[in-house]
Amino acid sequence: MYWNVSKLDAAMGQVTAAFTGQIDTNANTVNGALQIKPSPLAGLPVKTAYKPSGTVTADVKIAGPFKEPTLTGGVQINNLEVTGGQLSQPLKATALHLDLTPGQIAAKPFSLQVGPTLVQAAFHLKDYKNIDATISTKDASLRDLLAIAQASDVTGTGAVTVELHATGPLSKPNLSGSGSIANADLHLAALTPNLKIDSAQIRFEEDAAAIDNATLHIAKSTAKGSVKLHNFARPQLALTLAIDQLSNIEMQTWLPPSKGSETSKPLTLTGD
């Protein structure tokens, strides 16, 4: 069946969109244009603890198979502000402009800010599957960074500086870059006592992140050395530490009872 759509209006909350073009249900293809006039993001019917505000505008041509159409045009979000959830202060963004071309989505450099914490970023998404992104921040609040990253298993305070470059498949990008962390106090879901870091260097390489030249404190123990996490999909943790003291009785209280199922994959731990 072939449909010639002169105008099809749709709405989600206060965001209204109009589609014009052709839809071929026999060939499962579409050829048309989608337009969103400046519409407020507030009131989107999305179940989340976060509340966005600002406006979205779009003018996009859509062509090709239903499953993988090509997109040409642009999407712009202005005056974005997000409140609620884990954010201690509103998350604000500069104008976010996405350029869409067949096989690529590109975001012009933009910034995200929570209080004094400023994160600058830019990215290209090739074939809608492969990412090329840069992210940087200097002397940022660890608490705010964790909130921006939606890290539900980690909370904490401290100061972080990072220059990060990610390339490759979205599911498993290769990382490169460096940074530092200072005066950090972390609470991890997998560890009962807080982990404190006086200072450390951060290093990213391929699918691993490392903390070098670190001074760590956990309960009554102080450790100096490095920690490296390989393979974020199936984590492997490698430790090289000099520790002043360890209490066997105290260590038995460090790890909370596991909530994983019998089929969950354990963390692989090696160390010196």
Side-chain angles (χ1 to χ4, degrees):
M1 185 176 294
Y2 187 84
W3 297 81
N4 189 12
V5 181
S6 58
K7 188 179 182 183
L8 176 64
D9 293 323
M12 178 179 288
Q14 300 178 58
V15 177
T16 56
F19 173 82
T20 58
Q22 296 79 42
I23 300 174
D24 189 338
T25 56
N26 293 323
N28 292 326
T29 59
V30 61
N31 186 4
L34 180 69
Q35 289 187 325
I36 301 176
K37 294 183 178 180
S39 300
L41 293 170
L44 282 174
V46 180
K47 293 183 178 179
T48 175
Y50 296 91
K51 297 180 180 179
S53 63
T55 60
V56 58
T57 306
D59 190 352
V60 181
K61 293 182 179 179
I62 307 172
F66 290 166
K67 292 184 177 180
E68 294 184 353
T70 59
L71 306 175
T72 307
V75 178
Q76 183 148 342
I77 300 176
N78 292 318
N79 303 317
L80 177 63
E81 183 172 307
V82 181
T83 58
Q86 300 177 43
L87 295 170
S88 59
Q89 300 181 62
L91 167 64
K92 299 180 180 180
T94 56
L96 177 59
H97 187 90
L98 301 178
D99 288 322
L100 283 66
T101 57
Q104 179 171 282
I105 299 175
K108 295 180 179 178
F110 63 96
S111 63
L112 302 173
Q113 186 163 6
V114 177
T117 296
L118 181 67
V119 178
Q120 296 178 317
F123 69 84
H124 289 77
L125 188 60
K126 300 176 182 178
D127 300 323
Y128 312 131
K129 299 175 183 178
N130 295 299
I131 190 76
D132 186 339
T134 57
I135 300 172
S136 65
T137 187
K138 185 176 181 180
D139 297 328
S141 162
L142 179 58
R143 176 181 178 180
D144 293 335
L145 290 179
L146 292 173
I148 293 173
Q150 295 294 280
S152 58
D153 290 339
V154 184
T155 58
T157 58
V160 178
T161 294
V162 168
E163 290 278 351
L164 176 63
H165 187 203
T167 59
L170 269 174
S171 58
K172 191 179 179 181
N174 290 321
L175 305 178
S176 61
S178 61
S180 62
I181 185 170
N183 302 319
D185 190 340
L186 298 171
H187 178 71
L188 292 76
L191 198 63
T192 299
N194 282 13
L195 175 63
K196 298 181 180 181
I197 304 175
D198 291 348
S199 63
Q201 299 299 309
I202 304 172
R203 175 170 45 89
F204 299 96
E205 52 184 28
E206 296 184 353
D207 67 339
I211 297 177
D212 298 322
N213 303 319
T215 299
L216 315 172
H217 306 277
I218 178 169
K220 297 178 182 179
S221 300
T222 297
K224 295 184 178 182
S226 64
V227 179
K228 191 170 185 178
L229 179 67
H230 296 268
N231 191 348
F232 300 111
R234 298 185 64 181
Q236 298 178 6
L237 189 64
L239 309 173
T240 302
L241 299 172
I243 305 173
D244 63 348
Q245 61 175 331
L246 281 175
S247 165
N248 180 52
I249 296 175
E250 184 182 78
M251 288 176 62
Q252 294 179 47
T253 67
W254 286 6
L255 303 178
S258 174
K259 297 180 181 179
S261 65
E262 293 182 359
T263 58
S264 64
K265 299 171 182 177
L267 176 71
T268 301
L269 179 66
T270 61
D272 296 327

